[in-house]
């Protein structure tokens, strides 16, 4: 199982067929309970994206902006993408292990769609840590 640390990293989006130019996006990583719970609450904007791990659902209660949500399986393939306005509760995705959040409308431009593969560059937790 992948285990990242809270912090910053990068998200690389590749198309389904692996062709085209990969898109690289700044990424915040939230893996602790506290960081995942805070998420995007209280923010008016986000530069890049936020990875919540582990996660298979999200809510937008007390958020100030609509967001795009991409649900990822254990191989970091996108299994669903939704745009959620503030004040909503998303349904859990059974195959999802991680969630990426970004400002509404940005994921389409990055090529984040069902079947796309992403890569996460961030500090990993070592086994036994």
């Amino acid at each position: 199982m992948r285990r990242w640390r809270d912090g910053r990293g990068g998200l690389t989006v590749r198309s389904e067929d692996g062709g085209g130019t990969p898109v690289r996006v700044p990424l915040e990583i939230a893996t602790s309970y506290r960081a995942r719970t805070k998420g995007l609450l209280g923010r008016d904007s986000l530069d890049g994206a936020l990875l919540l791990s582990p996660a298979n659902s999200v809510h937008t209660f007390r958020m100030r902006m609509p967001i795009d949500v991409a649900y990822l399986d254990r191989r970091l393939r996108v299994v669903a993408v939704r745009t959620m306005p503030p004040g909503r509760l998303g349904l859990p995705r059974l195959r999802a292990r991680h969630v990426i959040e970004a400002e509404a409308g940005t994921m389409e431009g990055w090529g984040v769609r069902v079947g796309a593969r992403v890569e996460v560059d961030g500090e990993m937790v070592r086994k036994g840590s």
Side-chain angles (χ1 to χ4, degrees):
M1 182 173 148
R2 298 169 199 274
R3 295 196 51 185
W4 298 280
R5 292 183 189 267
D6 289 349
R8 298 196 173 275
L11 177 73
T12 303
V13 182
R14 299 186 185 281
S15 64
E16 276 182 78
D17 60 8
T21 304
V23 176
R24 178 120 168 108
V25 177
L27 183 69
E28 292 180 35
I29 301 170
T31 59
S32 68
Y33 177 79
R34 182 178 181 145
R36 289 191 325 263
T37 302
K38 183 175 183 213
L40 296 177
L41 295 178
R43 296 195 202 185
D44 293 318
S45 65
L46 173 66
D47 178 29
L50 172 68
L51 170 72
L52 304 171
S53 180
N56 68 355
S57 68
V58 296
H59 69 82
T60 58
F61 299 118
R62 296 185 6 218
M63 284 200 185
R64 298 179 180 174
M65 61 184 173
I67 60 171
D68 284 345
V69 180
Y71 299 88
L72 309 176
D73 68 12
R74 66 185 65 220
R75 288 186 234 112
L76 302 182
R77 283 217 184 263
V78 178
V79 296
V81 181
R82 298 287 179 266
T83 299
M84 295 177 61
R88 300 296 165 95
L89 177 63
L91 295 173
R93 303 290 167 173
L94 295 178
R95 292 187 353 220
R97 298 292 179 268
H98 317 281
V99 172
I100 297 174
E101 297 179 343
E103 288 187 28
T106 57
M107 286 193 184
E108 184 178 349
W110 298 338
V112 176
R113 56 187 53 89
V114 173
R117 186 173 56 88
V118 301
E119 295 172 9
V120 173
D121 302 319
E123 189 174 341
M124 300 286 286
V125 176
R126 293 190 179 113
K127 285 196 168 195
S129 296

